[in-house]
Amino acid sequence: MSPSTFEGDYGCPAYRDAYSRINGIVVVGEGLADRHFRLLARAIPEDREELIRLGAMEGRHARDFMGCGSNLGVRPDMALAKRLFAPLHQLFLACDREGDLPGCLVIQGLVVECFAVAAYRHYLPVADPYAQPITVGVLQDEAEHLNYAELWLKQRFAEVEAAVSAVCRRALPVALSILRALSADMRTIGMDPLDLAASFSELFQQSLGTIGYGPRQAQRLIVVAAASLPLG
Ligand code: PL3
Ligand code: FE2
Ligand code: FE2
């Protein structure tokens, strides 16, 4: 584990204020991930137990990160986070209702998980000593979640390709807009939002490659989404 390189003061008002919004996004995101995996467990009965196990991991992440906030005396801003996550959650629910399983797996298993892996990797070097080991453990779990979705989609690539491309066009701009809304707060806690956006798109392109896309097609999907929403 790398030692913290953040020179700021975890207890200062500016840090705590920014952290309440960042922590809110993380706690709400993990809570929704828990719900999404439970819905997936119902939709994919042959993997039910595994998906319930993955959902339970997300519930633990939400509690552990909530603990990181309380350790600093910070309460997560849940209202803002719910508002920012709502379009992605609604999109997931719509796919679930319509029986669009590839859509559900892309939203939770690729978009949200790549976002989580990229964000936690960049948070790690600036995390306080209490949050660091928690973040390391969570990162290992998120890799497992990403692998599950990649494998499911890869095994059915020919049948699901069109649905995957369609949902990427809708879900990626929402993920990027969450990132954009938190840019200033990320800077305050020592993270670089543009580095994070770059890592997210690299990871996401890698995932698309793993499931069967060619490098050009994968790049096009993410570039089109980013162009619809300049990060500035
Ligand atoms: C998947 O398991 C859950 C996805 C949650 C989404 C997290 C997005 C995080 C954005 C800012 C991250 C900074 C990390 C701070 C940790 C308290
Ligand atoms: Fe998680
Ligand atoms: Fe996850």
Side-chain angles (χ1 to χ4, degrees):
M1 185 172 48
S2 58
S4 173
T5 54
F6 183 59
E7 306 272 313
D9 174 3
Y10 302 117
C12 82
Y15 186 96
R16 292 155 52 93
D17 177 53
Y19 199 82
S20 76
R21 286 181 292 277
I22 302 271
N23 193 231
I25 271 290
V26 171
V27 170
V28 167
E30 295 289 355
L32 287 175
D34 181 351
R35 271 190 72 190
H36 293 167
F37 276 111
R38 281 170 213 282
L39 287 165
L40 280 167
R42 225 175 41 185
I44 312 176
E46 61 274 27
D47 290 345
R48 188 172 177 274
E49 269 174 39
E50 181 172 10
L51 287 161
I52 287 185
R53 185 178 63 83
L54 301 186
M57 289 159 95
E58 304 293 24
R60 269 195 305 276
H61 296 168
R63 283 192 294 281
D64 286 351
F65 278 130
M66 180 91 93
C68 295
S70 359
N71 176 60
L72 296 175
V74 169
R75 230 175 329 150
D77 185 338
M78 305 291 276
L80 171 70
K82 282 185 189 154
R83 224 168 34 242
L84 291 173
F85 255 116
L88 214 49
H89 179 50
Q90 291 307 323
L91 194 56
F92 181 97
L93 293 180
C95 290
D96 184 53
R97 259 194 320 271
E98 291 156 16
D100 178 0
L101 262 181
C104 291
L105 280 150
V106 169
I107 294 167
Q108 177 56 45
L110 300 190
V111 176
V112 175
E113 298 296 348
C114 283
F115 190 36
V117 170
Y120 300 156
R121 273 188 195 160
H122 284 269
Y123 173 60
L124 195 54
V126 300
D128 65 77
Y130 179 91
Q132 258 189 14
I134 290 174
T135 307
V136 171
V138 170
L139 264 167
Q140 282 163 4
D141 293 350
E142 307 304 8
E144 196 177 332
H145 304 168
L146 187 56
N147 287 342
Y148 173 86
E150 285 177 349
L151 187 63
W152 195 98
L153 293 161
K154 179 192 166 112
Q155 285 168 341
R156 299 158 179 85
F157 185 64
E159 306 110 78
V160 304
E161 182 184 353
V164 172
S165 300
V167 81
C168 279
R169 287 192 200 100
R170 299 183 64 187
L172 285 170
V174 183
L176 294 175
S177 72
I178 296 178
L179 213 141
R180 192 180 194 194
L182 291 175
S183 299
D185 290 328
M186 283 181 189
R187 286 203 181 88
T188 304
I189 71 160
M191 295 170 70
D192 183 332
L194 287 178
D195 278 353
L196 168 45
S199 296
F200 169 72
S201 72
E202 210 178 289
L203 260 176
F204 196 80
Q205 279 181 60
Q206 249 170 42
S207 282
L208 291 177
T210 302
I211 70 171
Y213 282 91
R216 297 267 309 151
Q217 285 171 291
Q219 198 182 27
R220 273 182 69 92
L221 274 174
I222 185 114
V223 167
V224 168
S228 79
L229 209 116
L231 270 163

